Amino acid sequence: MDDALRLRAVNQIFKIDASLGCESGKDATFTLDFEEKNYRQQALAGLIRDTVPYFALTQEEIASLDKSDWNKSSFTRISDAQPTKKGDYGELLLYIILNIFYDTPKFVTKARLRSSTREQIKGFDCAHFSINPDRTITLWLGEAKFHQTFSGAIAQSFKSLNDHLMDAEKIKSELRLLSGEIEINKNILPDEYLLLKSHTNGSKSLDKVSIQVPVLLTYDSKCIGDFCGTENADIGSDVFQASLIAELKGKFLSVYERTWPAKNNITISFYLLPLRSVSELKEMLDTIETAMKF
C-alpha cells in the first residue's frame, strides 16, 4: 500500500482499546467512524476498491504495469463467486488491518496462486510475516470470515482452523507451496529473505516456526444499526463506545467458550469488525467489481 492509501485507511478504520477479557492479549476490535450520522461503509467500499491492486498484484507487477492497467489486472484475480459466497474481500480487509495496525507485509500474493477465479483461495487466507527484535521471523497465516451473523463466522472459522492447524503435514505442505512463491519485499534485506525462506521450506523444524494466526470476523452489529441516525452516532461518543463494548464482550465470550486448536508455536488472535450491514457492503463491492472487470 502506498502512503496515501495507508493514510486513508487510518482515517477510516479505528482500533478500539478496551479491556475485553482477551485470553491471548492479542485479540482486538476494529470499527469505522460515522459521517453525517451514517456508518462509513461506503467509504470502506472505496478503500477496498483502491486496495485491490496491492492485494492481488505482486510488487513487481505493480512496478511494471502502467497504473491505468492496475484495476483491470487486479480485479480479474478476484473470485467470480456470488457476492454472498465470495471470500476475497474479507481476506482483503484482513490484508489492510495487518498492514496498517501490525506492520506485517505479505510475502506471497495468494490471489495469484489459484488456477481459476471460480476457486476460492485455498489454505490460509493470507501469508504475511514480521521480523522480531531478536531477528527471528513470525509467519502470519490468517483466516477471514466475511459473514453477516457472528455465529456463522465463529462456526466457519472453528471448522477451518481445526482443518488447517491440527494436521502438521497440511501446514508443512502449505509452507512448502508458499516457499516457492516468496516475493522479495522492497524493504527486506537479503539475510532476512534467507531467514524467511528457512521458515517455509522445511529446513527448520515446524515446532520452531513461530506462527501467528489472525482470525478476522465480521457481523451485522445491532449496536451500530441502533446508533445510525442518532445524536450519538460518533466514534468519540461515550454512549456509543459503552454500548459497542458491551456488545463486543458478549461476542468475545462466544469466542472463548470454544476449545480452539492449541500448539506451543501457534498463537491464534481474533479481530472483530462489526458492520452496519455486511450484505449492503457486499452489494457495493459487487457493483464496483463488475465495473472494474468489464
Side-chain angles (χ1 to χ4, degrees):
M1 297 175 68
D2 63 24
D3 290 342
L5 199 55
R6 292 177 67 88
L7 185 59
R8 277 178 61 190
V10 299
N11 282 321
Q12 291 182 28
I13 304 174
F14 297 85
K15 187 176 182 180
I16 295 179
D17 293 319
S19 176
L20 297 171
C22 301
E23 291 188 345
S24 71
K26 296 179 180 291
D27 301 336
T29 298
F30 300 89
T31 184
L32 309 180
D33 203 350
F34 292 84
E35 186 173 68
E36 296 186 334
K37 310 303 181 184
N38 292 311
Y39 202 56
R40 298 189 68 197
Q41 286 194 176
Q42 188 167 357
L44 180 61
L47 176 67
I48 290 172
R49 174 199 61 210
D50 294 340
T51 306
V52 168
Y54 299 92
F55 168 75
L57 301 176
T58 67
Q59 287 193 352
E60 183 178 2
E61 287 171 328
I62 286 174
S64 62
L65 288 170
D66 189 279
K67 196 166 185 178
S68 62
D69 294 327
W70 283 11
N71 283 331
K72 187 165 186 180
S73 297
S74 59
F75 271 93
T76 55
R77 287 184 177 163
I78 298 298
S79 168
D80 292 328
Q82 293 296 317
T84 55
K85 298 180 179 179
K86 193 192 304 282
D88 300 61
Y89 295 119
E91 291 146 21
L92 198 152
L93 280 168
L94 180 57
Y95 167 84
I96 293 172
I97 286 170
L98 291 179
N99 273 274
I100 298 302
F101 294 96
Y102 297 93
D103 194 25
T104 60
K106 67 177 180 179
F107 66 91
V108 170
T109 301
K110 295 213 68 180
R112 185 174 62 89
L113 299 185
R114 56 186 166 201
S115 58
S116 166
T117 51
R118 293 185 178 183
E119 296 179 348
Q120 296 296 333
I121 292 175
K122 294 181 179 178
F124 291 102
D125 291 338
C126 71
H128 291 231
F129 75 101
S130 59
I131 301 173
N132 306 313
D134 62 358
R135 306 302 294 168
T136 58
I137 293 277
T138 295
L139 303 180
W140 293 64
L141 307 174
E143 290 284 334
K145 301 303 176 189
F146 194 18
H147 285 238
Q148 289 177 254
T149 67
F150 194 74
S151 60
I154 284 284
Q156 286 299 311
S157 60
F158 187 76
K159 182 179 182 299
S160 295
L161 291 184
N162 275 286
D163 182 52
H164 291 157
L165 299 179
M166 295 308 291
D167 187 338
E169 287 305 316
K170 275 192 175 181
I171 299 175
K172 290 193 287 185
S173 176
E174 169 124 1
L175 290 180
R176 284 193 295 268
L177 174 64
L178 296 176
S179 185
E181 301 292 338
I182 291 176
E183 301 152 19
I184 301 178
N185 186 284
K186 65 182 180 181
N187 296 320
I188 195 170
L189 300 173
D191 62 323
E192 294 170 340
Y193 168 76
L194 292 175
L195 190 60
L196 178 57
K197 192 81 171 174
S198 73
H199 281 61
T200 55
N201 64 9
S203 64
K204 190 179 183 70
S205 167
L206 182 62
D207 294 344
K208 302 297 190 297
V209 176
S210 174
I211 299 175
Q212 180 75 31
V213 182
V215 182
L216 177 65
L217 307 171
T218 71
Y219 67 96
D220 287 352
S221 167
K222 183 179 184 305
C223 170
I224 289 168
D226 288 346
F227 273 85
C228 283
T230 73
E231 63 179 353
N232 287 306
D234 190 309
I235 196 173
S237 163
D238 291 341
V239 177
F240 170 71
Q241 286 193 17
S243 180
L244 183 60
I245 288 170
E247 178 180 278
L248 292 168
K249 285 184 175 180
K251 302 303 182 186
F252 273 109
L253 285 176
S254 297
V255 171
Y256 299 144
E257 69 184 11
R258 289 181 179 261
T259 302
W260 298 88
K263 293 183 182 246
N264 290 335
N265 62 316
I266 297 175
T267 301
I268 301 173
S269 53
F270 295 92
Y271 302 159
L272 274 55
L273 177 59
L275 295 167
R276 189 180 68 79
S277 173
V278 172
S279 62
E280 282 186 11
L281 180 56
K282 286 184 175 183
E283 286 173 9
M284 283 186 248
L285 293 170
D286 188 54
T287 301
I288 289 169
E289 181 183 323
T290 299
M292 292 298 183
K293 281 185 174 179
F294 302 102

